[in-house]
Amino acid sequence: LMSPSTYPVLLCSQNRPTQRQKKVLSLFHFGLRRGGVLCLGLSESIGALSAEFGAIEESLRIYRKQRDAKLVTESFKPILMDRVNRQPIPTLTPSQPPTRGRLDVYDRLLGQHMPPSILVSSSHELLHTFTGASRFLRPRDGRASTNVLDLMLPELRTPLLAALRQVESTGDSASIAATLSDGPTDEEAAKSITLTVEKVPMSDSEGYLIRFGESPAVENNNKPRQMLGVNNEQFEALQQELHRTREELHNSVEQFQTTNEELQSANEELTSSNEELQSTNEELHSVNEELYTVNGEHERKIDELTELTADMDNLLNSTNIHTVFLDRGLSLRRFTPGVADIFSFIPHDIGRQFAHFSYNLKTKSLLTDLKEVLRTGKPFEREVRDTQNRWYLLRILPYYARDTIDGVVLTLIDITSLKDAQLLLRELSDVVKQSDDAILRIDNDGTIRTWNRGAARLYGYKADEAIGKPANMLAADDAKDDPPGYLNNLGEGVRIDHVETRQKTKSGAILVVELTVSPLLDDSRDCVGASVVARDVSKQKQAEQEIRRAVEQRDRFLAMLSHELRNPLAAIVNATRLLGEMDLDEKTEREARDVADSQLKHIARLLDDLLDVARITNDKMTLHLEVVDMKKSLMDAIECTQHRLDSKRQKLFVESVDEHVCVKGDVGRLQQAQVNLLVNASKYSPEGSSIHCSLEVEDSEAIITVRDQGEGIPEPLATRIFEPFVQADETLDRSQGGMGLGLPLVSMIARAHGGSVALTPGIDQGSAFCIRLPLTNETTATEQQRRNHTALAGKRVLLVEDHDGIRNMLARSLELKGIEVAAASDGIRGLSLYHEFKPNISVIDIGLPDMSGYEVAQAIRECETERTTLVAVTGYGTSEDVQKTREAGFDLHLLKPIDPVVLLERLAETETAEAITET
């Protein structure tokens, strides 16, 4: 900080700020740090820089700097020696430096022709003294100062200050007369001094030239003022200041009077309140007398209540019902002795909150149940158990007082013996009811007495449909003779274990059932019936058949695999032996290598098919889903199999719809399924035949159909043709190779994509395989990118990124899509480009070196005239980070590293949404 005497002072007109005033305030703005304080005089104003300074106290002209920004102002003009026909001092070039003699000549000329003058800076710092002007200066004691006002004679200080303010205010020169009571020396007489101040342009700022004109002092009417060193203008200024001071004093007196009146009103209100308190005191005396009367009545009621309480205690203690009384706040009001062990009550606990007590009941919602009964008034009942496995019937009843609920009553009744009996009965009943096996009781005459859930599930009859009916209604038509014989021998108490028989259900289905019959004896050991347990073993029998079939299929597969691998391996062995022979010609060697290569590829295809079947069967196949154009996929599959068709001179006829047919799936797997169908059709069709392939759309499904002219598939085999290792020709010496995995792979791939495959079999008429796949409304990636490029073509994008590599590569990628790009490496340059470039979209990195991306976005939102799409790019992607970018004004939030394709997709979505909104 500078000392008060060296503060820069700015004098300017409040109504018309000059360019110099703006320049000085710009310098102050540059010199202050952000948040710094600027203090001006009462006659000063901020002028055009009001947006850069916030007012702390407007009346005292105290302001605070708002932000760091470069302000553009005109530079200072170079210093001129004088305005009146003076030639500027010639500038010497570095090659001709001024000699000492020339400088002496300049000094002598200035001493002869220059009047007494001094040159000061804009901050009133002394720069140069001309022709004896130093006699009007007088150094002061203490710390040295170069301020001309500190060095000037006291009689000239005030006039000089007035002249300087006038020049700073108007920009024109000013002259003020002053009188020196004594000369600079005691021998000199009093003189009248005329101070002339004019503004002098300098190289980097402006200064002032102060000239001293001397003349004898003249007596006039202003002598008293001149003797004080104050001229008329200064005197008028002092009078105006005195007038303002008087007005402020008058306002202060009026404020004091208003405050005095408010205090008088408050005093009157306090007096009124005192009188009201006295009246209230008299009323309290009257109420006290009434309380004495009421107290007597209460003593009589207390005696009656004491007798009633004693009767109540005797009644509760004589019952075996544990009871607890709680008030509306669920505080303990009363309890019986038997309940004390359960809740650990003691007599001193009366009045305590029930929630503060622990209890040994196995229930966690007791407090919630109490509150619910208190709220609704509905009784609550539940069976609960304590830690000693004793059962209680818990009842919670509302406690009514004057027709309102004033609390609750909790009772516990010991029902342990009853629960033990019920538990035993329930366990026995649950064993029968919950059993998955059919368990039923039959009388000696064969009538059904009981029917459990397993029997209802097994036979399809409900309990009311079976009870009372003869048990032989369950026997199959061909088993009416009752092979187990248990119905004819029930009265003899014969036990039958694990006997299989055929029975029928309500729907007529025939089941293979395993029966276990146990006799039921009464207390006299007489047989009164039988318990029959029936277990369905149809699935078990079917599984055994499936296992036998799987074993047979495994043996067939191993034989088939051995057959399929033996031929290529034999060819490979022969080719390898041939390559080991000496003196082979080039043709024979090439043929041997081709044989080995083709057979190895054949083995690789077999292994790939086996692996695919294993993956799909074990649900380990991974689908890379995308939008697939089935029209293009079909053409690719045809291209893959064209060489096979050409080798057998087969013709392929293709029919397809004109528009795109898009499904959601794995492009590789879908092409594999189509290739398998085409290869299968070529494989089982004779040479020179025709194969038809079509692509249609029906009921939101894509339908691919491949029809051949082969021998066809018999009807019995058509149901198993999509099973692994199943072929129409299953003999080991069949003419066509393969392991029967092509069609199973087609079926598995279709099901994995939510579709299906079907076969139209026929003998000597060929076969038609049809794949159905669900359509999707989405477009392919290529089509979507084309739409994105079309939507953003011609847009202007501002890219603010401090990393050179990322910025340059992303800018180039966008330019290749027809987008005009302007790039900046920091926030300040980005804001400058924003005003020049006027982009439609701004992609801004949050972590910039000079200012954050949030500040750049806020600055753009404050000054934009048209809505700009702002995209935040950051390495943080939590919900808090996304919310922060939204609050800063961003429209999109993208994570680093930026994928140009993803950026274009998001921008295209945003542009489309804005277009829809505007429409």
Side-chain angles (χ1 to χ4, degrees):
L1 292 176
M2 297 181 293
S3 62
S5 62
T6 59
Y7 276 140
V9 180
L10 175 65
L11 298 178
C12 62
S13 171
Q14 296 182 358
N15 298 326
R16 186 169 56 85
T18 64
Q19 184 65 24
R20 295 179 179 85
Q21 176 196 13
K22 184 177 180 181
K23 175 62 179 180
V24 172
L25 289 175
S26 300
L27 291 175
F28 285 165
H29 182 273
F30 176 79
L32 284 174
R33 67 177 60 182
R34 186 174 181 179
V37 178
L38 174 66
C39 301
L40 301 177
L42 295 177
S43 61
E44 311 292 339
S45 67
I46 292 298
L49 300 182
S50 59
E52 303 297 329
F53 292 92
I56 298 177
E57 185 57 48
E58 184 68 30
S59 61
L60 299 180
R61 304 296 192 270
I62 301 176
Y63 304 90
R64 186 184 303 278
K65 181 179 177 181
Q66 298 285 359
R67 61 172 184 165
D68 292 325
K70 183 178 180 180
L71 304 180
V72 180
T73 57
E74 297 180 359
S75 60
F76 287 131
K77 299 178 180 178
I79 299 178
L80 299 178
M81 295 303 298
D82 202 342
R83 291 186 178 181
V84 184
N85 299 327
R86 290 232 174 104
Q87 297 296 330
I89 298 175
T91 303
L92 299 178
T93 62
S95 61
Q96 297 177 350
T99 62
R100 182 63 183 174
R102 291 182 182 179
L103 293 177
D104 293 340
V105 173
Y106 292 155
D107 292 341
R108 286 198 300 272
L109 289 175
L110 290 174
Q112 291 175 7
H113 300 283
M114 186 74 176
S117 306
I118 57 178
L119 181 64
V120 299
S121 66
S122 59
S123 59
H124 304 164
E125 298 294 326
L126 181 60
L127 301 178
H128 197 81
T129 304
F130 301 96
T131 318
S134 60
R135 55 200 175 95
F136 298 101
L137 305 176
R138 178 178 300 169
R140 64 178 184 179
D141 297 334
R143 182 176 297 177
S145 173
T146 59
N147 192 296
V148 70
L149 297 177
D150 295 337
L151 300 175
M152 190 61 64
L153 294 175
E155 293 86 346
L156 301 179
R157 190 175 299 161
T158 302
L160 177 59
L161 178 60
L164 287 172
R165 288 184 177 177
Q166 184 175 353
V167 172
E168 293 173 349
S169 161
T170 63
D172 300 329
S173 61
S175 299
I176 296 180
T179 302
L180 290 176
S181 58
D182 296 323
T185 61
D186 295 339
E187 291 79 7
E188 295 181 5
K191 295 181 180 181
S192 176
I193 304 300
T194 301
L195 299 176
T196 302
V197 180
E198 61 179 315
K199 187 174 294 186
V200 178
M202 301 177 71
S203 61
D204 56 350
S205 62
E206 293 182 347
Y208 304 97
L209 181 65
I210 305 172
R211 298 196 299 270
F212 299 90
E214 300 183 15
S215 62
V218 180
E219 296 292 336
N220 53 30
N221 294 333
N222 295 332
K223 183 176 182 180
R225 301 177 187 175
Q226 297 296 335
M227 291 177 63
L228 296 174
V230 179
N231 58 17
N232 292 335
E233 295 177 355
Q234 296 172 352
F235 185 75
E236 290 177 359
L238 293 173
Q239 281 185 336
Q240 293 177 0
E241 185 68 24
L242 179 60
H243 180 68
R244 286 196 298 270
T245 305
R246 287 177 178 174
E247 289 181 353
E248 292 177 357
L249 179 61
H250 179 70
N251 293 334
S252 299
V253 171
E254 290 181 352
Q255 292 178 359
F256 284 136
Q257 289 177 353
T258 302
T259 304
N260 190 20
E261 291 175 358
E262 293 177 354
L263 291 174
Q264 289 178 356
S265 300
N267 188 21
E268 292 176 357
E269 292 177 358
L270 290 174
T271 303
S272 301
S273 299
N274 189 20
E275 293 176 356
E276 293 177 359
L277 289 174
Q278 290 178 356
S279 301
T280 303
N281 190 21
E282 294 176 358
E283 293 176 358
L284 289 175
H285 282 294
S286 300
V287 171
N288 191 23
E289 294 177 356
E290 294 178 358
L291 288 176
Y292 280 118
T293 303
V294 173
N295 188 31
E297 296 179 358
H298 285 173
E299 290 179 353
R300 180 174 57 82
K301 293 291 184 180
I302 289 173
D303 294 338
E304 295 177 357
L305 290 175
T306 301
E307 295 178 0
L308 183 59
T309 300
D311 296 339
M312 185 69 178
D313 291 338
N314 291 325
L315 175 61
L316 293 176
N317 293 334
S318 61
T319 63
N320 194 24
I321 300 176
H322 308 315
T323 309
V324 179
F325 294 89
L326 303 174
D327 60 15
R328 286 193 58 83
L330 297 183
S331 297
L332 191 60
R333 177 184 292 174
R334 185 185 300 274
F335 60 89
T336 58
V339 81
D341 296 336
I342 300 176
F343 293 97
S344 302
F345 290 153
I346 60 176
H348 297 289
D349 290 333
I350 299 297
R352 290 181 59 188
Q353 286 286 327
F354 182 79
H356 296 166
F357 294 96
S358 61
Y359 46 86
N360 56 8
L361 296 177
K362 294 182 179 180
T363 176
K364 297 181 180 179
S365 61
L366 181 57
L367 186 61
T368 303
D369 298 336
L370 291 170
K371 293 179 180 179
E372 184 67 17
V373 172
L374 184 64
R375 185 181 65 85
T376 62
K378 296 180 179 180
F380 175 81
E381 184 175 305
R382 177 189 296 171
E383 295 178 355
V384 296
R385 185 171 51 178
D386 62 7
T387 56
Q388 299 178 357
N389 289 328
R390 296 191 63 83
W391 284 91
Y392 296 92
L393 177 61
L394 170 66
R395 287 179 178 172
I396 303 176
L397 305 173
Y399 183 94
Y400 286 95
R402 299 183 181 87
D403 297 331
T404 59
I405 299 176
D406 194 38
V408 294
V409 179
L410 184 151
T411 60
L412 292 170
I413 303 174
D414 192 344
I415 57 171
T416 303
S417 57
L418 178 61
K419 289 297 295 182
D420 292 341
Q422 291 179 348
L423 181 61
L424 178 59
L425 180 61
R426 186 183 303 114
E427 289 175 349
L428 295 176
S429 177
D430 289 343
V431 170
V432 176
K433 291 182 179 179
Q434 304 297 332
S435 177
D436 290 334
D437 296 332
I439 302 177
L440 52 150
R441 176 179 174 175
I442 300 176
D443 290 338
N444 290 335
D445 58 357
T447 304
I448 300 174
R449 291 281 304 275
T450 62
W451 191 262
N452 73 337
R453 183 163 45 185
R457 182 167 52 248
L458 178 62
Y459 295 107
Y461 294 99
K462 296 181 181 179
D464 55 354
E465 295 174 340
I467 296 176
K469 302 295 178 62
N472 60 1
M473 74 173 186
L474 303 176
D477 295 337
D478 56 354
K480 289 297 184 181
D481 294 338
D482 184 24
Y486 73 95
L487 292 177
N488 299 326
N489 303 313
L490 285 178
E492 300 177 1
V494 178
R495 178 180 178 85
I496 302 175
D497 292 329
H498 307 296
V499 176
E500 293 183 3
T501 184
R502 292 166 53 82
Q503 293 187 334
K504 66 178 181 180
T505 64
K506 181 179 179 180
S507 61
I510 303 301
L511 303 177
V512 179
V513 179
E514 183 182 76
L515 297 179
T516 298
V517 182
S518 302
L520 298 177
L521 305 178
D522 59 8
D523 296 337
S524 302
R525 307 297 296 174
D526 295 331
C527 182
V528 295
S531 171
V532 180
V533 178
R535 179 173 299 171
D536 183 12
V537 293
S538 301
K539 293 182 179 180
Q540 180 179 348
K541 294 297 182 180
Q542 183 179 0
E544 292 176 356
Q545 295 177 0
E546 291 292 336
I547 292 174
R548 287 193 295 270
R549 180 181 173 186
V551 171
E552 294 174 358
Q553 188 176 10
R554 180 200 63 188
D555 296 339
R556 185 171 60 252
F557 160 69
L558 292 177
M560 188 184 306
L561 179 61
S562 175
H563 178 269
E564 290 295 328
L565 293 178
R566 184 181 298 110
N567 291 334
L569 287 176
I572 293 173
V573 170
N574 293 333
T576 304
R577 290 176 180 174
L578 183 60
L579 290 173
E581 297 291 339
M582 302 296 292
D583 301 329
L584 286 179
D585 57 7
E586 182 179 353
K587 179 180 179 182
T588 304
E589 182 178 356
R590 184 173 60 254
E591 290 177 353
R593 293 184 185 276
D594 292 341
V595 169
D597 182 65
S598 62
Q599 296 303 322
L600 286 174
K601 290 181 179 179
H602 177 65
I603 294 174
R605 284 195 299 271
L606 292 177
L607 294 178
D608 288 340
D609 290 344
L610 287 174
L611 290 175
D612 285 339
V613 170
R615 291 190 189 100
I616 299 175
T617 304
N618 297 325
D619 197 18
K620 293 184 178 180
M621 183 180 68
T622 302
L623 297 179
H624 302 283
L625 298 180
E626 59 181 294
V627 179
V628 181
D629 186 357
M630 293 305 299
K631 186 175 181 180
K632 181 178 182 303
S633 178
L634 180 59
M635 295 299 106
D636 293 340
I638 293 173
E639 183 178 353
C640 293
T641 57
Q642 188 64 47
H643 69 283
R644 187 182 186 96
L645 299 174
D646 295 340
S647 64
K648 297 184 67 174
R649 295 179 288 103
Q650 295 172 336
K651 295 181 181 180
L652 178 64
F653 296 92
V654 182
E655 297 179 5
S656 176
V657 295
D658 296 333
E659 66 274 5
H660 294 287
V661 180
C662 296
V663 300
K664 195 71 171 288
D666 189 314
V667 61
R669 292 297 182 181
L670 292 176
Q671 184 173 337
Q672 179 184 5
Q674 296 173 87
V675 168
N676 284 356
L677 287 183
L678 292 172
V679 170
N680 192 71
S682 175
K683 180 178 179 180
Y684 291 100
S685 296
E687 293 188 6
S689 61
S690 299
I691 298 174
H692 295 268
C693 179
S694 65
L695 173 62
E696 302 175 292
V697 175
E698 180 182 342
D699 298 334
S700 300
E701 287 184 331
I703 304 175
I704 303 100
T705 304
V706 177
R707 185 182 301 277
D708 58 43
Q709 292 183 348
E711 298 178 356
I713 299 175
E715 185 68 29
L717 188 61
T719 58
R720 300 192 299 117
I721 195 64
F722 294 108
E723 297 179 5
F725 318 118
V726 174
Q727 290 182 321
D729 185 5
E730 297 186 348
T731 61
L732 294 179
D733 57 347
R734 62 191 184 280
S735 59
Q736 301 292 342
M739 298 176 59
L741 297 177
L743 293 178
L745 280 174
V746 173
S747 176
M748 294 176 184
I749 292 173
R751 291 199 304 271
H753 287 78
S756 62
V757 61
L759 165 66
T760 303
I763 303 297
D764 299 330
Q765 297 178 0
S767 301
F769 292 90
C770 178
I771 299 178
R772 291 179 175 267
L773 298 173
L775 296 176
T776 179
N777 294 327
E778 301 180 23
T779 58
T780 61
T782 304
E783 179 67 17
Q784 185 62 40
Q785 291 178 6
R786 186 189 65 79
R787 293 183 182 179
N788 294 343
H789 299 168
T790 303
L792 296 175
K795 297 291 184 179
R796 296 186 301 277
V797 175
L798 172 62
L799 179 60
V800 184
E801 169 63 53
D802 59 335
H803 194 282
D804 296 338
I806 296 176
R807 182 177 68 254
N808 295 334
M809 292 299 99
L810 184 57
R812 182 59 180 159
S813 299
L814 296 178
E815 289 172 351
L816 292 176
K817 307 301 186 297
I819 300 173
E820 188 177 355
V821 181
S825 60
D826 53 54
I828 295 178
R829 176 61 179 162
L831 290 175
S832 178
L833 279 178
Y834 174 81
H835 296 290
E836 299 173 5
F837 188 57
K838 300 187 182 303
N840 307 107
I841 301 166
S842 296
V843 181
I844 303 171
D845 185 11
I846 297 300
L848 295 175
D850 54 347
M851 56 193 301
S852 68
Y854 302 117
E855 296 174 338
V856 176
Q858 291 172 355
I860 290 176
R861 289 303 185 205
E862 291 175 359
C863 65
E864 66 180 354
T865 57
E866 295 183 1
R867 178 70 180 180
T868 304
T869 301
L870 298 183
V871 181
V873 179
T874 176
Y876 304 96
T878 63
S879 57
E880 292 79 5
D881 297 320
V882 176
Q883 181 63 27
K884 190 175 181 180
T885 56
R886 292 290 185 188
E887 294 174 354
F890 285 100
D891 300 296
L892 295 176
H893 182 103
L894 296 181
L895 293 178
K896 290 183 176 180
I898 308 175
D899 187 348
V901 176
V902 176
L903 175 61
L904 290 175
E905 290 177 356
R906 297 294 301 277
L907 290 177
E909 293 173 359
T910 304
E911 293 295 322
T912 304
E914 291 180 356
I916 294 174
T917 303
E918 292 176 0
T919 303

